[in-house]
Amino acid sequence: MDPIPFLSKSNQHSTVLIQDWSIFELFGRKASGVCNAATSSKILIEIDDKNMRLEPAPLKIINEAQTSFAVYDLQKIQSEPSFSVSALYDGLLSSTSKQSPAPISVSSVVGGTDQLSGLLVSVLRNEGAAQRVIYTHQLPWFLLIYYHTVTLTCKDLSSGQKQIPTIHKQLFAPAVTRKKPALIEWEFDLPRNSECRLQFKFEKAFLRKEKFNTKLYV
């Protein structure tokens, strides 16, 4: 799945978020080498919090348009076979809410990713009564979806027993390369007190170099 830069500890009324992150945690690998075709290879990290501490310390800090960036020049640290930066925060984020949690929640994660393929999983959790829902997901054209791998499975939150949802409608609109995103839409009955997973595999299309940003902001 996607590495998440926030770790959380929660109880019934509040959630405490730990903000610490690193390049390795975000992208699943460290930066290695430099681009031989580029005149420079640098990592720029926006300093968005006065309590933010970077390790290792940056070579310099630049200020542009009321924003500060820490600069790491990879050409000057080529002695290291791989390189990562960690951001540490002195304080915690505390979010307190008096509202009760929503009976239905949706989250999506990406798993098993590399430079070629991956698996996208959307989790629909229903802690209330049965609902008829429409799941809609729009995906960029460069994610080539294997439509035959799309599956929907549900289980009871209390017993863990498998449940079979009633599917009313399925819509697949393939992407058009560099013009239109793909669309997946399912209308089905979300069982009461259940967790449903809709997942599919995909492959990444080849991107032209001008589609990439020449600077990396974290």
Side-chain angles (χ1 to χ4, degrees):
M1 62 168 287
D2 283 337
I4 302 175
F6 294 98
L7 302 177
S8 64
K9 297 179 180 179
S10 61
N11 54 37
Q12 186 176 2
H13 303 290
S14 65
T15 300
V16 176
L17 299 176
I18 302 173
Q19 303 180 76
D20 298 352
W21 56 267
S22 70
I23 289 179
F24 179 77
E25 290 174 335
L26 288 173
F27 300 103
R29 61 176 182 170
K30 297 181 179 181
S32 58
V34 298
C35 179
N36 295 324
T39 56
S40 65
S41 294
K42 298 178 181 179
I43 296 177
L44 274 67
I45 299 178
E46 182 180 353
I47 302 175
D48 57 357
D49 193 312
K50 63 180 180 180
N51 295 318
M52 178 182 182
R53 185 174 75 259
L54 296 173
E55 293 183 358
L59 297 176
K60 65 177 181 178
I61 295 177
I62 59 175
N63 297 298
E64 293 184 4
Q66 299 181 344
T67 304
S68 298
F69 295 92
V71 181
Y72 294 87
D73 192 337
L74 297 181
Q75 291 180 333
K76 294 183 179 180
I77 53 177
Q78 291 190 59
S79 58
E80 298 288 338
S82 59
F83 179 75
S84 181
V85 179
S86 298
L88 307 174
Y89 294 81
D90 295 334
L92 300 175
L93 285 178
S94 180
S95 175
T96 303
S97 175
K98 296 181 180 179
Q99 298 180 351
S100 58
I104 297 179
S105 62
V106 182
S107 61
S108 295
V109 295
V110 179
T113 58
D114 50 33
Q115 294 301 303
L116 179 63
S117 60
L119 174 73
L120 193 146
V121 181
S122 293
V123 180
L124 296 89
R125 188 181 179 93
N126 180 19
E127 299 182 10
Q131 299 279 349
R132 184 163 176 168
V133 299
I134 299 177
Y135 168 88
T136 302
H137 205 144
Q138 184 171 278
L139 299 119
W141 64 265
F142 54 81
L143 294 185
L144 308 178
I145 303 168
Y146 293 127
Y147 289 99
H148 68 282
T149 67
V150 179
T151 58
L152 175 65
T153 57
C154 298
K155 68 176 182 180
D156 186 88
L157 288 174
S158 301
S159 64
Q161 291 184 343
K162 182 179 179 181
Q163 295 182 323
I164 301 177
T166 301
I167 300 173
H168 300 283
K169 182 181 178 182
Q170 295 172 300
L171 172 65
F172 301 100
V176 177
T177 302
R178 297 183 176 86
K179 291 183 179 180
K180 188 181 75 171
L183 177 67
I184 294 179
E185 187 172 284
W186 280 43
E187 183 177 352
F188 62 95
D189 291 334
L190 186 62
R192 64 178 298 275
N193 193 39
S194 67
E195 180 182 277
C196 294
R197 291 174 175 258
L198 193 148
Q199 66 182 44
F200 55 85
K201 296 180 180 180
F202 64 85
E203 186 175 293
K204 299 176 184 177
F206 178 78
L207 291 178
R208 297 171 180 169
K209 64 181 181 64
E210 59 265 23
K211 296 296 181 181
F212 290 92
N213 193 341
T214 56
K215 295 182 179 180
L216 173 62
Y217 295 93
V218 178

